[in-house]
Amino acid sequence: MRRPLIAGNWKMNLNRSESMGLAQGIVQGNCPGGVEVVLCPTFVYLDAVSGVLDGTSVKLGGQDAYHESNGAFTGAISMVMLADLGCDYVILGHSERRHKMNETNAMINAKLKVALATGITPILCIGELLEEREAGQTQAVVESQIDGSLASLNAEHVAQIVIAYEPVWAIGTGKTATPEQAQDVHDDLRKLLASRYNATSAAAVRILYGGSVKPSNAAELLSQPDIDGALVGGASLQTDSFLEIIAASTAEAAS
Ligand code: PEP
């Protein structure tokens, strides 16, 4: 039984007091125990948000981190530092980092291994561009992202990660994959993991959907058998909309 996970990716948004206020609002929303909730503020407010989440069931995540643990890497943040601030999760390979900051599968693979070694659960993002979907290449693209990002990991490692399927054309655009389109890719991904690793790991991995998830479409997406939660950008920046998405996942978990 995979526990639903709803993660909010705040990206480079909100100031310190807004970040703390939003975290407070989520905590006060009494997130139901059946769903795991993760907030991913910008690095500089992780500590402030960590203080708000302390002693609650809502977890903290980083939006990225470097693969080295310390040293002369100006501007970089390490997984050890994220752990020190109380992060249980880290988003890796988000499409904005892949496409705007030129991150490669090899770089993501190096980060992912360090995250696992540090005891931080990676949320590995994958997904195709619009032109790749239109050219019928979705499966090939996500397959190569999986193979590259998970290179040299074993089935035991893979069972510990979270995957977020985020079609790039649906991120921040208001366009959402239909529940059927998303379910098809999630199903293919699970079969791919079973063939590359084993059935047990493939069945254990949580695969989130991301791409313009909002209160109006969350329940239908989350009702799909292979969609185990959501990575939410825009709609995670407001208490009400994020709480409504969490509530939609609870309803699905209970049904
Ligand atoms: C994201 O940034 O991971 C995301 C899914 O954003 P949005 O929900 O705004 O499309």
Side-chain angles (χ1 to χ4, degrees):
M1 184 68 186
R2 297 182 294 267
R3 186 175 177 202
L5 192 161
I6 305 292
N9 176 11
W10 295 356
K11 309 193 186 187
M12 199 172 70
N13 292 302
L14 309 176
N15 63 24
R16 181 186 166 89
S17 70
E18 288 165 343
S19 298
M20 291 173 75
L22 180 54
Q24 195 70 55
I26 302 303
V27 166
Q28 284 167 349
N30 283 327
C31 302
V35 181
E36 201 168 1
V37 176
V38 182
L39 304 182
C40 304
T42 184
F43 289 133
V44 291
Y45 304 132
L46 278 169
D47 209 16
V49 171
S50 182
V52 177
L53 302 186
D54 200 26
T56 78
S57 63
V58 179
K59 296 192 174 148
L60 189 67
Q63 296 177 16
D64 183 45
Y66 197 53
H67 67 276
E68 296 285 355
S69 294
N70 52 30
F73 303 102
T74 301
I77 308 283
S78 72
M79 301 290 170
V80 179
M81 291 168 179
L82 291 188
D84 193 30
L85 290 174
C87 289
D88 288 304
Y89 286 88
V90 62
I91 299 171
L92 294 178
H94 191 279
S95 69
E96 286 148 18
R97 298 205 63 87
R98 287 178 185 271
H99 297 291
K100 295 181 183 171
M101 289 146 192
N102 300 322
E103 279 199 15
T104 63
N105 286 320
M107 290 159 75
I108 295 158
N109 177 243
K111 294 176 178 197
L112 207 137
K113 286 176 184 160
V114 179
L116 287 172
T118 311
I120 297 184
T121 302
I123 301 177
L124 168 66
C125 302
I126 55 170
E128 81 287 0
L129 298 164
L130 183 59
E131 56 266 34
E132 292 167 336
R133 171 161 284 267
E134 287 174 346
Q137 294 168 344
T138 299
Q139 204 174 342
V141 169
V142 296
E143 206 171 305
S144 81
Q145 290 172 331
I146 287 284
D147 286 341
S149 308
L150 300 185
S152 77
L153 294 185
N154 61 32
E156 210 178 301
H157 294 136
V158 168
Q160 295 168 42
I161 71 168
V162 173
I163 294 174
Y165 168 58
E166 301 206 301
V168 181
W169 48 270
I171 296 181
T173 58
K175 290 184 194 151
T176 318
T178 65
E180 294 73 26
Q181 283 174 323
Q183 166 58 24
D184 277 354
V185 178
H186 284 225
D187 179 47
D188 284 345
L189 282 169
R190 216 176 288 288
K191 287 182 179 140
L192 176 70
L193 295 174
S195 74
R196 296 284 198 269
Y197 301 95
N198 61 39
T200 312
S201 294
V205 171
R206 287 180 292 181
I207 308 179
L208 315 183
Y209 169 78
S212 299
V213 174
K214 37 190 186 263
S216 58
N217 60 24
E220 217 188 335
L221 284 160
L222 294 166
S223 69
Q224 301 301 308
D226 286 291
I227 299 184
D228 306 312
L231 180 55
V232 186
S236 72
L237 294 173
Q238 267 146 17
T239 311
D240 290 353
S241 54
F242 195 56
L243 286 174
E244 279 180 54
I245 293 169
I246 295 167
S249 77
T250 320
E252 286 314 319
S255 65

